[in-house]
Amino acid sequence: MKKFVIILIFSVVIAACGTKQQKPVQSEPVKKDTVKTASASEYGIWKIASYASNLGNNRNASYITNSFAIWGTFSDPNNDKAELKVKFVIDKETFCIKLLQYGTTAVKKGDETQYKIKIKSGAAEVADFTAKNVSDRLFIKSVDAQKIMELFEKEGSLFFYLVTDSKSFPATYSFTIDNPVGFGKALKKITE
């Protein structure tokens, strides 16, 4: 009986190690991380995109936006220097800045009437503007937008500081754009 139990256990072990096991997979050589660098564009940090329209209205089909995320910070009664993502949306008729708290949540119209915007260039040039948020982005008047576009064409960095005039939920936003040149070429392309 003892021999029978030993033979049975041995048979189970052999059957378990049988031909139905997975074959060892040849491991691929480990790939080293590579740093991807952005190729230089004729528009610098800017790119031209198109609005998606279900109505077939191509009046403002193309717009200029930043190719890569612009990151900054925001502060409000609940946050101190939380993450902010900034997206520019500029077409033939409008100049807008979209602020995304935590990188995903668009800042929507609240009880504020306007935002005060201060832009400081690397050459210590300071410009003050105002903007309104009527939906999920800040709209800048065309006269002020023209001044900002002129600053975009200068080399160096631009520091943006925005403040709401909200009484119930005041907030500040700040971000920097490094070397925003190339905007003029992109604007020329969408206005042709």
Side-chain angles (χ1 to χ4, degrees):
M1 179 78 155
K2 223 178 189 184
K3 286 185 180 184
F4 178 71
V5 172
I6 292 174
I7 292 175
L8 184 65
I9 292 173
F10 185 70
S11 300
V12 170
V13 170
I14 299 252
C17 295
T19 60
K20 298 199 182 210
Q21 283 190 348
Q22 292 181 336
K23 294 181 181 177
V25 178
Q26 292 287 336
S27 61
E28 294 180 21
V30 178
K31 295 179 182 178
K32 294 182 180 178
D33 290 337
T34 56
V35 177
K36 293 183 180 179
T37 57
S39 60
S41 164
E42 66 180 304
Y43 306 127
I45 67 164
W46 308 103
K47 70 178 180 179
I48 297 174
S50 296
Y51 291 117
S53 174
N54 295 333
L55 303 174
N57 179 358
N58 292 328
R59 187 174 61 125
N60 287 322
S62 297
Y63 65 94
I64 301 168
T65 188
N66 37 304
S67 296
F68 304 100
I70 297 171
W71 294 98
T73 60
F74 76 95
S75 297
D76 61 24
N78 298 330
N79 300 287
D80 184 33
K81 295 190 178 181
E83 187 175 68
L84 173 73
K85 183 178 178 182
V86 180
K87 194 80 170 164
F88 285 86
V89 181
I90 305 158
D91 60 34
K92 295 176 194 176
E93 298 174 7
T94 59
F95 188 103
C96 302
I97 301 173
K98 192 167 189 171
L99 303 172
L100 301 161
Q101 294 175 337
Y102 313 107
T104 57
T105 307
V107 174
K108 297 192 177 187
K109 177 162 177 37
D111 71 335
E112 77 282 343
T113 42
Q114 67 180 0
Y115 287 70
K116 292 181 182 175
I117 302 172
K118 183 177 291 253
I119 303 173
K120 183 178 178 185
S121 72
E125 184 178 350
V126 177
D128 293 310
F129 308 102
T130 60
K132 290 189 181 243
N133 188 347
V134 295
S135 60
D136 66 347
R137 60 195 67 182
L138 306 181
F139 286 82
I140 298 173
K141 293 184 265 182
S142 60
V143 173
D144 294 337
Q146 186 62 39
K147 293 176 189 172
I148 296 172
M149 288 187 253
E150 289 170 9
L151 288 172
F152 281 171
E153 282 304 305
K154 296 181 179 179
E155 287 190 21
S157 297
L158 294 177
F159 174 74
F160 285 71
Y161 184 74
L162 298 81
V163 180
T164 68
D165 64 357
S166 173
K167 302 296 183 230
S168 63
F169 208 73
T172 60
Y173 305 88
S174 63
F175 60 93
T176 302
I177 301 177
D178 293 320
N179 202 18
V181 295
F183 183 84
K185 286 182 182 178
L187 184 62
K188 185 177 179 182
K189 180 73 174 174
I190 68 168
T191 55
E192 290 179 334

